[in-house]
Amino acid sequence: MPNARLSPPLSLYIHFPWCIQKCPYCDFNSHAVKDTFPEDRYINALIDDLAQDIAKFQETRTIQSIFMGGGTPSLFSAAQLDRLLTAMQQYLTFADDIEITLEANPGTFESEKFADYRAIGINRLSIGIQSFNDQHLKRLGRVHSAQEAIRAVSIARQAGFANFNLDLMFGLPESAEQDSLHDVQQAIALQPSHISFYQLTLEPNTYFHKYPPALPNDEAIFKEQLACQQLLAEHGYQQYEISAYAQPGKQCRHNINYWSFGDYLGIGAGAHGKITRSLPANIVRTMKPKQPEQYLKHTKDDRLAQAIKQSDLPLEFVMNHLRLKKGFHLETYTQRTGLSLQSLQPALADCLQQGLLFEHQQHYECSEKGWHFLDTILENFLSTDITDA
């Protein structure tokens, strides 16, 4: 059983693998709904999945946050999600101020359920807007319009959601700088507590990777990004992670825990988890079957768990923490990995010398140069020697 005093905070991620249709840029584990999907069976499988994880890891820590991602979780009815949350409380203790996030599309079918979601205890939405330009939405394969997106935010507010995120993308096909600035201005006008603003990338195994659209050049995209980031900052949205901007105190708890190398249970088709059983030898990654039908069989043989190699822990820790603007303190490194400070020092010294990091009282953050060359920083930790750790 993990030591609750020494173990990091614990969150829960729940994956819902179905969408109305597959977007051409999406490399997530999502599958287009043909006619119907096995909603009831899937909720049963999620409950069984959690029960097996709790039994296997003898987990007793309080859950600080729940994030329902996808796919499109908002395809599921509030009644089924209520059944899921109620059953989970047989196995888990929810924090009194637990943050429960649901990813949702802004289409009419999903947004009409927002009041019901709020009534069952979901207290944060993440709404996949992507753009407020109908032409861009069409090129991205989105099934909603700009007007539906604006209306969805109004419905969310009326339903009682004071805490919600809007997803936006930049560097879109046939787009200009003014297009992204308009998207950000429109998002700010809707006054969300959080904005995710990330660049479109052509990921392997996607339609866009196979048939690449014409994208703006790198110089134009970077200029566009800087202009939008300045606009967000001017309106009080603080960048706390590479692609995440929040009003003060409204950072996504799931994001913060994940990028702080915290622990999280992962249930659902293709879900990953990370559980600290003992330090440093037994920090476990869990992986669930990716295909929905295989997952629905929920056999124990399909439930993979593998300890992270001690030699990989320095890179894993730094790779996560340096996505956060606040960086990390060395004390957190020893708490989360169980390794000595010596296992990080040579690589940190190299990064300081190259001007990629700066340090104050054992607290390390990316410099402006390091923020734009994070891959260069991580290369320094690929061959970390932990023999004296």
Side-chain angles (χ1 to χ4, degrees):
M1 180 181 297
N3 186 320
R5 184 178 65 83
L6 298 177
S7 295
L10 183 67
S11 293
L12 172 65
Y13 175 75
I14 311 171
H15 192 77
F16 295 81
W18 290 284
C19 285
I20 293 176
Q21 68 180 33
K22 182 80 171 179
C23 295
Y25 59 85
C26 179
D27 69 333
F28 295 143
N29 182 32
S30 61
H31 307 265
V33 173
K34 296 179 180 178
D35 297 310
T36 60
F37 61 96
E39 187 176 22
D40 191 66
R41 286 178 61 208
Y42 195 73
I43 295 296
N44 290 340
L46 289 173
I47 295 168
D48 184 64
D49 191 355
L50 178 63
Q52 291 186 50
D53 270 3
I54 295 298
K56 180 173 183 176
F57 297 115
Q58 301 179 45
E59 190 54 69
T60 59
R61 284 174 288 174
T62 298
I63 291 288
Q64 305 299 321
S65 66
I66 297 174
F67 195 98
M68 304 183 199
T72 308
S74 56
L75 289 178
F76 281 69
S77 69
Q80 289 286 9
L81 295 182
D82 187 32
R83 184 165 73 88
L84 174 64
L85 291 172
T86 300
M88 284 180 170
Q89 293 184 69
Q90 298 177 31
Y91 303 101
L92 296 168
T93 300
F94 289 8
D96 291 340
D97 63 343
I98 189 170
E99 181 177 274
I100 304 178
T101 300
L102 177 82
E103 286 188 342
N105 275 345
T108 301
F109 172 74
E110 288 96 339
S111 58
E112 287 179 348
K113 305 175 189 175
F114 287 177
D116 292 335
Y117 292 145
R118 188 68 189 90
I120 65 171
I122 294 169
N123 53 23
R124 184 176 183 274
L125 292 178
S126 181
I127 306 174
I129 303 291
Q130 314 314 345
S131 175
F132 291 98
N133 181 307
D134 283 334
Q135 289 300 314
H136 292 159
L137 289 171
K138 185 176 180 180
R139 294 187 189 109
L140 291 173
R142 304 297 291 173
V143 297
H144 67 272
S145 67
Q147 195 57 44
E148 284 179 311
I150 294 170
R151 182 172 178 270
V153 173
S154 176
I155 293 172
R157 285 199 179 281
Q158 292 172 15
F161 285 99
N163 190 12
F164 61 90
N165 167 67
L166 301 182
D167 273 350
L168 294 178
M169 300 176 72
F170 66 94
L172 304 180
E174 302 178 42
S175 69
E177 179 182 332
Q178 284 304 120
D179 295 330
S180 286
L181 280 170
H182 174 268
D183 283 344
V184 171
Q185 287 167 344
Q186 177 63 77
I188 290 171
L190 296 172
Q191 298 182 308
S193 53
H194 189 287
I195 294 175
S196 296
F197 182 63
Y198 54 97
Q199 182 180 346
L200 171 66
T201 54
L202 307 184
E203 300 292 347
N205 302 314
T206 65
Y207 182 88
F208 271 0
H209 190 267
K210 187 175 182 180
Y211 303 101
L215 300 179
N217 62 49
D218 289 344
E219 183 179 351
I221 290 175
F222 186 57
K223 182 181 178 183
E224 175 183 349
Q225 179 181 2
L226 291 179
C228 291
Q229 288 176 328
Q230 180 178 345
L231 183 61
L232 287 163
E234 289 171 354
H235 287 82
Y237 290 90
Q238 302 170 354
Q239 185 180 22
Y240 69 94
E241 188 259 339
I242 286 178
S243 303
Y245 305 76
Q247 294 176 339
K250 295 298 184 179
Q251 297 91 343
C252 175
R253 293 186 195 173
H254 177 80
N255 283 359
I256 291 290
N257 186 52
Y258 183 92
W259 298 121
S260 298
F261 208 52
D263 281 357
Y264 52 97
L265 294 162
I267 64 172
H272 287 229
K274 169 187 168 283
I275 298 295
T276 301
R277 304 190 75 180
S278 65
L279 293 174
N282 202 355
I283 302 176
V284 175
R285 294 279 188 201
T286 63
M287 295 148 282
K288 305 301 169 59
K290 184 175 181 180
Q291 293 301 318
E293 280 304 319
Q294 184 185 4
Y295 175 79
L296 285 168
K297 296 175 183 176
H298 56 270
T299 59
K300 293 184 180 180
D301 291 341
D302 289 333
R303 304 163 61 80
L304 302 178
Q306 186 174 12
I308 302 173
K309 294 179 181 178
Q310 287 189 48
S311 58
D312 291 337
L313 284 174
L315 176 62
E316 289 254 6
F317 176 89
V318 170
M319 182 168 56
N320 282 269
H321 264 277
L322 289 186
R323 284 186 61 104
L324 295 171
K325 273 285 190 177
K326 68 178 183 179
F328 65 92
H329 195 280
L330 283 182
E331 184 180 14
T332 307
Y333 175 70
T334 58
Q335 290 173 346
R336 297 290 165 91
T337 67
L339 300 176
S340 75
L341 300 182
Q342 182 56 36
S343 59
L344 269 194
Q345 294 291 6
L348 287 175
D350 288 344
C351 290
L352 290 171
Q353 186 175 18
Q354 296 172 58
L356 297 169
L357 297 177
F358 62 85
E359 180 265 343
H360 177 67
Q361 296 182 346
Q362 294 193 316
H363 187 96
Y364 289 81
E365 298 177 23
C366 285
S367 65
E368 196 62 32
K369 176 183 176 183
W371 193 246
H372 296 300
F373 294 96
L374 190 55
D375 287 346
T376 304
I377 293 177
L378 298 181
E379 287 173 4
N380 286 276
F381 295 87
L382 286 174
S383 56
T384 304
D385 182 6
I386 64 166
T387 54
D388 296 326

